[in-house]
Amino acid sequence: MTNKADREAYFREVELTIRDYYLADPSNPYRQSGKTGGAEHWETTRCCIAEAVNADGDYLDLGCANGLLLESLVGWCAGRGYTITPHGVDFVPELINLAKQRLPAYAANFHVANTFFWQSPQRYRFVQLLLDAVPPADEHAYVARALHEIVAAPGRLIVSVYGQGTSATPEVAVESLDGLGFKAAGATACVSASVAWIDKDP
């Protein structure tokens, strides 16, 4: 477990990095979601996440940035026959404001908070998180709390590992979970993203 001072320093650094990069170009929604390139590149690097959705239900993105991924997932999941209701949390207020503007019908579903400490008002059929949102020593606690306190039963915790480039494979996320003591129920990958999920039974 990370000590309090180191954890606070980690979160400060992450927040500064996100602010500097994500908010540098107000006209670029992809930059505001952490990516370069346009619509085609965005879909190529993120669309596989929709493969983790196997039912209708509420979908929470922990670290949702400007809501572009949630907006995209609504469409990608609809194309696969599923209806999801988007929810998001991020600790940068400007990004949450952008998410609310992007998805105004769901503005009440977005919250400004640090996802590691956030107390969820409900449970969700699908919850997505990134391991690097917390210090490495806190990854197990982060996954465990999300699984036990935020994911509904039945439900699914979706863990994404970004930054793998063209070498991304499902095994990257599976092995990350295995190293933390969790067993993946399934996995997939697309360019630069490895995705695995843990199922929570009723």
Side-chain angles (χ1 to χ4, degrees):
M1 179 179 292
T2 308
N3 67 53
K4 182 178 179 181
D6 287 346
R7 183 183 292 126
E8 290 176 348
Y10 184 93
F11 289 140
R12 281 196 302 271
E13 182 178 350
V14 170
E15 183 175 359
L16 287 172
T17 299
I18 288 174
R19 285 180 178 277
D20 288 346
Y21 185 81
Y22 285 51
L23 298 173
D25 184 355
S27 67
N28 188 339
Y30 305 101
R31 178 73 173 259
Q32 294 163 3
S33 199
K35 289 295 293 179
T36 57
E40 183 176 352
H41 180 67
W42 172 255
E43 183 165 359
T44 300
T45 58
R46 294 292 181 265
C47 66
C48 63
I49 298 170
E51 295 175 29
V53 173
N54 63 345
D56 297 342
D58 291 305
Y59 190 111
L60 172 67
D61 186 3
L62 292 171
C64 66
N66 69 340
L68 179 61
L69 179 59
L70 282 167
E71 181 185 49
S72 301
L73 283 168
V74 168
W76 295 335
C77 290
R80 301 181 68 247
Y82 300 117
T83 299
I84 60 169
T85 300
H87 300 256
V89 180
D90 202 286
F91 62 0
V92 179
E94 295 91 337
L95 289 173
I96 287 295
N97 287 337
L98 289 170
K100 290 179 176 182
Q101 294 168 25
R102 179 172 298 282
L103 295 160
Y106 304 101
N109 296 352
F110 289 91
H111 308 274
V112 177
N114 182 318
T115 60
F116 185 72
F117 300 108
W118 182 62
Q119 298 297 307
S120 174
Q122 68 178 81
R123 296 187 179 234
Y124 304 84
R125 181 66 179 78
F126 301 98
V127 177
Q128 179 185 344
L129 60 78
L130 296 173
L131 289 178
D132 64 4
V134 301
D138 285 330
E139 288 177 354
H140 179 275
Y142 189 43
V143 171
R145 193 173 78 82
L147 183 62
H148 298 306
E149 299 181 15
I150 305 178
V151 178
R156 177 168 284 182
L157 179 65
I158 302 164
V159 177
S160 299
V161 179
Y162 294 159
Q164 301 298 309
T166 56
S167 63
T169 64
E171 288 73 25
V172 172
V174 170
E175 291 171 2
S176 293
L177 286 176
D178 185 65
L180 296 173
F182 299 96
K183 183 174 178 57
T188 187
C190 43
V191 176
S192 82
S194 179
V195 182
W197 50 88
I198 306 168
D199 285 339
K200 184 176 180 180
D201 296 327

